[in-house]
Amino acid sequence: FKATKNLDALLGKDLGALRDIVINANPAQPPLTLLVLHSLLCQHYRVLSTVHVHSSVSSVPPQLLSCLGPKHADSYARHMFQLGFTLIWKDVPKLEMKFSIRNMCPIEGEANVARFLFKLLAPYPSDAAVATLVDTWVDIAFYQLADGSAKERAAVLQALGSALGHAPWLCGPEFSLADIACYCCLSQNGSTSATAANVQRWIKSCENLGHFGPAKLLLK
Amino acid sequence: MTKEEANGATEEEQQAQSKKALKKQQKEAEKAAKKAEKQAKLAAEQQSAEEDDFAKDRYGVSAMVQSQQKLDRALVRVEDLTPQKVDQLIWLRARVHTSRAKGKQCFLVLRQQQFNVQALVAVGDRASKQMVKFAANITKESIVDVEAMVRKVEQKIESCSQQDVELHIERIFVISQAEPRLPLQLEDAVRPDGDGEEEGRATVNQDTRLDNRVIDLRTTTSQAIFRLQSGVCQLFRDTLTKKGFVEIQTPKIISAASEGGANVFTVSYFKSSAYLAQSPQLYKQMCICADFDKVFCVGPVFRAEDSNTHRHLTEFVGLDIEMAFNYHYHEVIDSITDTMVQIFKGLRDNFQTEIQTVNKQFPSEPFKFLEPTLRLEYTEALAMLRDAGVEMGDEDDLSTPNEKLLGRLVKEKYDTDFYVLDKYPLSVRPFYTMPDPNNPKYSNSYDMFMRGEEILSGAQRVHDPQLLTERALHHQIDLEKIKSYIDSFRYGAPPHGGGGIGLERVCMLYLGLHNVRQTSMFPRDPKRLTP
């Protein structure tokens, strides 16, 4: 990635306190893409990661409580971090993100939150067509791979196969959010085996990057 | 003598007077005669009625219970009157909540604590006309013993807690009679605020309730509130005991005020004066120095602040915690917040009926919390408030409106009604607060909030006598007065911290009530010393 390290430019002026990103997720649908993006954020920023359980949920499996990895050694001093990543397991119909409550409405949907988090890591491609292509793949991943029928999934797999015939990654020579979303939604359904050779090779390449460890821990 | 004195008046006057008096007397005599006649007639009627009353052994006012006999009679509880008891003949002791006579029938609502059931006396082979009349005339709030058959009802009785059954009364005896006029009506006292205005019905204001607290405490709402309060205390004790805490008792009559002398009650103590404790602060710290490691205490706390607000009392129940920690005072925060979360969970899981009952009269959103508890730092709170347009200095204390606003902002972002605010400015905390090692402007102190109102104030304490002396001098405290306190740290004192919670506030805020007097059984404030 060409990392964007200037959070002030991205998130507005510094108020001298932790910028805390709050994500409300339903434990019935752990947001795999966001966990992957979280570990990427940790490589670029000093991130204070915390997991809470909201009172609307009575019990949460232990692997969800530790899904953001072990506690940071400095986590007692919140002011030492650049970014807060607060994951709350809550009884919500749709995943939502709350960040700057004065200026932003809550962002709904894992795909949209993923787009927001990814922009903290790397800018979208400057070419409008490629940028739109990335967005399209993200939509396809969440609407058709994760939620779609068997028929729709098969169609997406075919499309993946043909796209990966032209380039190593879904949107060209560079790894992008499209790859993260498609990989996560694909493995969520456990349908990584019976696919074309192209897709198999792409899955291998994704796994070689080592970004998907946190998501894989939750896949059973 | 008196007659002669009366004769001293002029004759005319006397004559006129006596004439008037005579007339009056005559009239009165007539009246009395009529009355006597009427009474005789009534008595005769009654007698004749009593004579042919076949059920006269089945009702009446019983003799005062002076423990003359030990009846082997099982009294069923109202809450146990379920369809399983249908067609059983049972005995029951309850209050007459309401009675309504309708020709040959009389409907009673019998109440026991927060539960009530419909009962019926009807003229038939078990009850006579006179018995129905007697039942209808029992005053509200009287205590009665009732023998009755449990019957299933076809339509649910919406107005009662026992909706599936009613009682067909066979015997009814008054055990304790209430005076006919009640200072307030229970139905008025449980009416939700809005309803009264809409229907033009009466509601009872706070002061009337408190003046007649014994009756007000009988309402379903009060019953639920204080049952829940007892639950808070029990959960607090259970949780801490499980964590290895020891319960201690501390004196409430103390020789010196712990935090400035302005807001303490002075009591005369033989030839000198003493104070009523504002908190068991010093004593629980001394227990830590005496190797008790983790202590808590539940007891009265006194504040002589002349503030008449919705959340201040002059005497309240303090739940105080103090514990030694290993390396970081967050061990203390974690321990306290976990205790609070266990209390909230316990209430959520075991007191749902009580919460619902209170909600009927005082609707509020269910209490929300996170586990582990959200902890924010003071600077973050400042940033949130400034972002919302509040102008505040770095070292200013939170004002009450800002405290509430912050509560709303936190609720909006994190959806929790309970959170901890850490790292307060040192200047706004008491002298025994440990300064922050990284930034001397701040301190290792924290407040906890429920629904945007402070319920706990705590900190790491200074356990080093030298630093403690320095801090006391900085706060211009007379060292002589706190000598024994400082001395207790001279012989090895472990690092420790703690905090104190107000029981009434916790209950008030958990239930979303608006006045702390509602959760204090016999509240004390600058204007109220009775009942």
Side-chain angles (χ1 to χ4, degrees):
Chain A
F1 296 116
K2 279 173 261 153
T4 329
K5 293 242 176 172
N6 190 355
L7 280 176
D8 282 358
L10 280 169
L11 296 177
K13 71 174 180 350
D14 187 4
L15 285 161
L18 182 73
R19 296 176 159 107
D20 200 2
I21 299 170
V22 177
I23 290 163
N24 295 317
N26 197 316
Q29 294 151 330
L32 299 185
T33 41
L34 303 192
L35 299 183
V36 173
L37 289 167
H38 164 260
S39 73
L40 288 171
L41 282 170
C42 288
Q43 291 169 16
H44 288 83
Y45 302 105
R46 273 177 289 121
V47 180
L48 175 65
S49 324
T50 40
V51 181
H52 297 276
V53 179
H54 190 262
S55 54
S56 59
V57 174
S58 49
S59 72
V60 166
Q63 70 265 27
L64 293 188
L65 294 178
S66 56
C67 64
L68 295 188
K71 228 181 188 176
H72 196 286
D74 289 332
S75 60
Y76 60 87
R78 290 172 66 92
H79 58 89
M80 288 169 67
F81 294 86
Q82 290 173 289
L83 209 56
F85 191 97
T86 303
L87 177 61
I88 300 174
W89 296 114
K90 184 177 168 184
D91 184 17
V92 279
K94 251 185 191 171
L95 181 133
E96 60 177 11
M97 181 192 85
K98 289 178 180 178
F99 179 58
S100 168
I101 48 166
R102 301 294 303 173
N103 313 315
M104 273 164 75
C105 64
I107 307 296
E108 274 189 356
E110 186 176 336
N112 299 324
V113 178
R115 290 181 176 112
F116 176 85
L117 293 181
F118 193 79
K119 281 179 188 165
L120 300 177
L121 290 162
Y124 256 45
S126 51
D127 180 347
V130 185
T132 311
L133 188 62
V134 173
D135 271 341
T136 310
W137 274 116
V138 174
D139 281 345
I140 289 172
F142 283 97
Y143 286 114
Q144 292 172 27
L145 267 182
D147 274 344
S149 62
K151 212 170 150 191
E152 282 178 296
R153 270 207 301 280
V156 177
L157 283 176
Q158 216 162 23
L160 276 176
S162 69
L164 292 167
H166 310 299
W169 302 108
L170 283 175
C171 299
E174 299 230 16
F175 180 73
S176 71
L177 184 62
D179 300 290
I180 299 179
C182 287
Y183 176 88
C184 287
C185 293
L186 199 59
S187 26
Q188 206 157 18
N189 273 316
S191 48
T192 43
S193 48
T195 46
N198 273 346
V199 182
Q200 286 293 351
R201 201 192 59 234
W202 167 77
I203 289 171
K204 281 257 161 54
S205 327
C206 284
E207 282 167 359
N208 283 340
L209 288 176
H211 298 328
F212 294 97
K216 292 209 109 171
L217 277 178
L218 294 182
L219 289 172
K220 286 281 134 65
Chain B
M1 274 290 280
T2 45
K3 263 186 188 170
E4 275 167 18
E5 266 172 32
N7 282 343
T10 59
E11 228 167 273
E12 259 174 70
E13 250 181 359
Q14 211 188 355
Q15 251 182 352
Q17 221 172 33
S18 65
K19 254 186 196 169
K20 264 189 199 165
L22 256 169
K23 259 188 192 169
K24 225 182 188 176
Q25 258 176 3
Q26 231 168 7
K27 257 188 189 169
E28 260 165 31
E30 263 169 49
K31 251 190 195 169
K34 263 187 193 168
K35 219 178 180 180
E37 212 175 302
K38 243 187 197 171
Q39 257 172 355
K41 216 171 156 188
L42 245 161
E45 248 173 44
Q46 224 164 26
Q47 220 174 6
S48 68
E50 260 166 38
E51 269 161 21
D52 55 60
D53 181 5
F54 62 90
K56 66 182 165 197
D57 298 333
R58 294 180 165 272
Y59 65 92
V61 176
S62 359
M64 179 166 51
V65 177
Q66 227 174 349
S67 309
Q68 303 94 324
Q69 51 186 26
K70 198 172 170 191
L71 283 180
D72 191 22
R73 182 188 283 167
L75 295 175
V76 175
R77 295 187 54 76
V78 169
E79 61 183 304
D80 296 331
L81 293 175
T82 53
Q84 284 158 354
K85 286 241 179 341
V86 162
D87 292 336
Q88 289 181 25
L89 193 62
I90 52 115
W91 275 98
L92 174 97
R93 177 170 294 179
R95 275 184 199 280
V96 174
H97 187 61
T98 57
S99 69
R100 185 162 48 91
K102 215 175 162 190
K104 290 184 170 180
Q105 290 182 320
C106 174
F107 286 95
L108 301 167
V109 174
L110 298 179
R111 189 187 81 235
Q112 191 175 57
Q113 295 169 342
Q114 69 268 50
F115 306 101
N116 50 21
V117 66
Q118 177 169 287
L120 169 69
V121 196
V123 176
D125 55 348
R126 298 290 185 178
S128 62
K129 215 170 153 188
Q130 291 84 352
M131 180 169 162
V132 174
K133 203 174 162 198
F134 173 82
N137 283 334
I138 300 173
T139 49
K140 273 190 193 180
E141 293 302 299
S142 295
I143 299 173
V144 292
D145 269 8
V146 160
E147 189 188 34
M149 188 65 97
V150 185
R151 297 280 189 210
K152 209 172 159 62
V153 288
E154 275 166 25
Q155 250 188 344
K156 283 200 173 205
I157 304 164
E158 298 289 345
S159 57
C160 290
S161 67
Q162 309 312 112
Q163 305 194 330
D164 302 317
V165 295
E166 66 176 6
L167 298 176
H168 289 209
I169 293 180
E170 305 208 339
R171 291 167 204 269
I172 181 163
F173 297 100
V174 176
I175 297 296
S176 170
Q177 207 150 19
E179 286 190 11
R181 281 173 67 97
L182 293 167
L184 59 94
Q185 300 298 319
L186 265 75
E187 301 91 81
D188 297 342
V190 295
R191 192 163 289 136
D193 277 349
D195 278 19
E197 285 154 29
E198 280 167 33
E199 297 168 28
R201 285 192 184 155
T203 50
V204 187
N205 72 25
Q206 179 97 22
D207 269 326
T208 316
R209 281 163 195 274
L210 295 181
D211 289 338
N212 302 287
R213 195 59 162 155
V214 174
I215 294 174
D216 181 47
L217 287 176
R218 291 180 192 167
T219 59
T220 47
T221 309
S222 299
Q223 288 281 325
I225 290 176
F226 292 101
R227 267 154 223 282
L228 183 120
Q229 190 172 75
S230 153
V232 172
C233 263
Q234 198 194 338
L235 290 162
F236 181 77
R237 282 203 168 93
D238 287 353
T239 313
L240 289 174
T241 311
K242 248 182 246 157
K243 288 178 188 283
F245 279 74
V246 179
E247 179 162 8
I248 56 164
Q249 305 294 340
T250 62
K252 306 301 168 205
I253 305 175
I254 55 170
S255 62
S258 57
E259 309 160 38
N263 53 359
V264 284
F265 285 110
T266 314
V267 291
S268 77
Y269 195 73
F270 304 109
K271 279 175 185 158
S272 66
S273 57
Y275 306 98
L276 291 181
Q278 299 157 297
S279 83
Q281 182 66 37
L282 310 187
Y283 293 96
K284 51 182 193 171
Q285 281 192 262
M286 286 196 236
C287 285
I288 297 298
C289 296
D291 283 350
F292 279 93
D293 205 31
K294 296 169 172 181
V295 297
F296 72 95
C297 85
V298 178
V301 172
F302 304 90
R303 297 285 155 89
E305 290 164 65
D306 191 9
S307 42
N308 295 287
T309 71
H310 75 283
R311 58 173 190 171
H312 285 94
L313 292 171
T314 50
E315 177 181 347
F316 59 92
V317 178
L319 309 173
D320 275 88
I321 301 178
E322 198 73 26
M323 66 179 266
F325 61 81
N326 297 332
Y327 296 104
H328 199 287
Y329 74 100
H330 281 176
E331 295 165 33
V332 181
I333 294 189
D334 293 343
S335 206
I336 299 177
T337 52
D338 182 59
T339 305
M340 295 305 294
V341 167
Q342 295 309 322
I343 292 176
F344 300 148
K345 278 183 159 177
L347 294 178
R348 179 188 67 184
D349 299 341
N350 305 323
F351 288 84
Q352 225 19 265
T353 339
E354 281 79 4
I355 296 171
Q356 298 304 333
T357 307
V358 178
N359 259 327
K360 263 186 222 156
Q361 187 177 1
F362 303 105
S364 72
E365 279 197 22
F367 190 82
K368 293 174 179 170
F369 54 90
L370 297 176
E371 188 185 12
T373 303
L374 177 71
R375 180 176 61 83
L376 300 174
E377 286 179 9
Y378 201 77
T379 44
E380 275 177 275
L382 279 183
M384 284 175 100
L385 284 171
R386 283 175 183 159
D387 192 32
V390 175
E391 282 179 29
M392 239 180 102
D394 276 347
E395 288 181 71
D396 289 354
D397 201 0
L398 279 182
S399 65
T400 310
N402 284 346
E403 198 177 290
K404 285 199 172 161
L405 173 60
L406 181 64
R408 274 204 290 275
L409 295 173
V410 170
K411 173 99 187 243
E412 202 178 330
K413 184 157 178 181
Y414 298 92
D415 199 27
T416 175
D417 288 308
F418 178 61
Y419 69 97
V420 183
L421 196 54
D422 193 13
K423 296 273 168 217
Y424 268 69
L426 184 60
S427 55
V428 303
R429 307 298 276 199
F431 75 97
Y432 48 73
T433 307
M434 183 66 89
D436 182 356
N438 300 316
N439 188 343
K441 273 189 188 172
Y442 292 99
S443 62
N444 291 348
S445 63
Y446 42 87
D447 275 7
M448 295 183 190
F449 296 87
M450 279 171 70
R451 299 199 201 246
E453 292 192 48
E454 182 238 302
I455 53 143
L456 174 141
S457 211
Q460 178 184 351
R461 331 290 188 187
V462 179
H463 60 281
D464 176 76
Q466 200 174 346
L467 180 59
L468 191 59
T469 315
E470 254 172 58
R471 296 298 308 157
L473 284 175
H474 184 263
H475 280 253
Q476 295 166 336
I477 291 170
D478 183 3
L479 287 180
E480 263 317 298
K481 281 195 173 165
I482 54 164
K483 188 170 176 299
S484 70
Y485 173 63
I486 295 181
D487 283 348
S488 41
F489 300 103
R490 291 193 196 281
Y491 313 103
H496 63 281
I501 315 166
L503 174 64
E504 287 86 351
R505 267 196 204 179
V506 171
C507 294
M508 165 178 86
L509 295 167
Y510 184 83
L511 291 168
L513 300 176
H514 300 297
N515 197 312
V516 73
R517 289 162 189 80
Q518 289 171 309
T519 54
S520 174
M521 202 167 253
F522 298 103
R524 290 286 173 266
D525 63 38
K527 289 182 180 143
R528 181 174 288 280
L529 204 51
T530 52

